Amino acid sequence: MKSFLLKGGCLAAAAVLGACAPVNPPLYYWGDYQNTLYLHHQDGVTDYSAQVSSIESILSQAEAQGKSVPPGLHAHLGMLYFNTGREIEAREQFAMERNLFPESAHFVEQILHEQPETAQ
C-alpha cells in the first residue's frame, strides 16, 4: 500500500511540476495563414484579392505584435500580386522573402526569372 501511495505521490508531483514548465512561444506569427493556404489550393478558387487581403492582414497583425512571419508568406503574397497584375509589389515581396530567409534565394530567383517583365 505504501508503495502504491509513494508511486501515486511521485506521479502527482511530476504532473504538477510538468505543468509549470515554461512554454516556448511560437517562432512565427501564423494568424489565419493555414486557412488562406487551404483556400489558395482549392480547385477553381481564384479570388486572389481576398487572399491578398488575408495575407496583408496577417502581415499587419504580426507587425503590430512585433512578431516574425513564417517562411514563404512573402513569396506567397508576391505570387498573388503577380496574379493580380501588381508586378512592382510582387517583386518587393520576393525581395523581402529573400532578405528574411536567404535559403529561399534560389527559389525566389527562379520565380522571378520565369515572370515576364511588364511596365506598370
Side-chain angles (χ1 to χ4, degrees), residues 5-75:
L5 290 175
L6 183 60
K7 287 180 185 177
C10 288
L11 183 60
V16 168
L17 290 175
C20 296
V23 176
N24 293 334
L27 187 56
Y28 302 111
Y29 178 78
W30 292 87
D32 194 33
Y33 189 49
Q34 181 178 4
N35 189 48
T36 302
L37 272 176
Y38 178 78
L39 291 175
H40 178 74
H41 292 289
Q42 292 299 300
D43 291 334
V45 176
T46 56
D47 186 3
Y48 298 129
S49 61
Q51 294 174 39
V52 165
S53 295
S54 178
I55 293 178
E56 287 174 341
S57 174
I58 293 167
L59 286 170
S60 296
Q61 292 169 6
E63 185 177 340
Q65 297 178 25
K67 296 183 179 180
S68 300
V69 294
L73 189 126
H74 287 286

Side-chain angles (χ1 to χ4, degrees), residues 82 87-96 112 115-117:
F82 272 130
E87 181 183 337
I88 294 171
E89 292 164 299
R91 292 184 184 281
E92 289 171 355
Q93 290 300 314
F94 278 109
M96 282 184 167
L112 292 176
Q115 296 299 320
E117 291 209 26

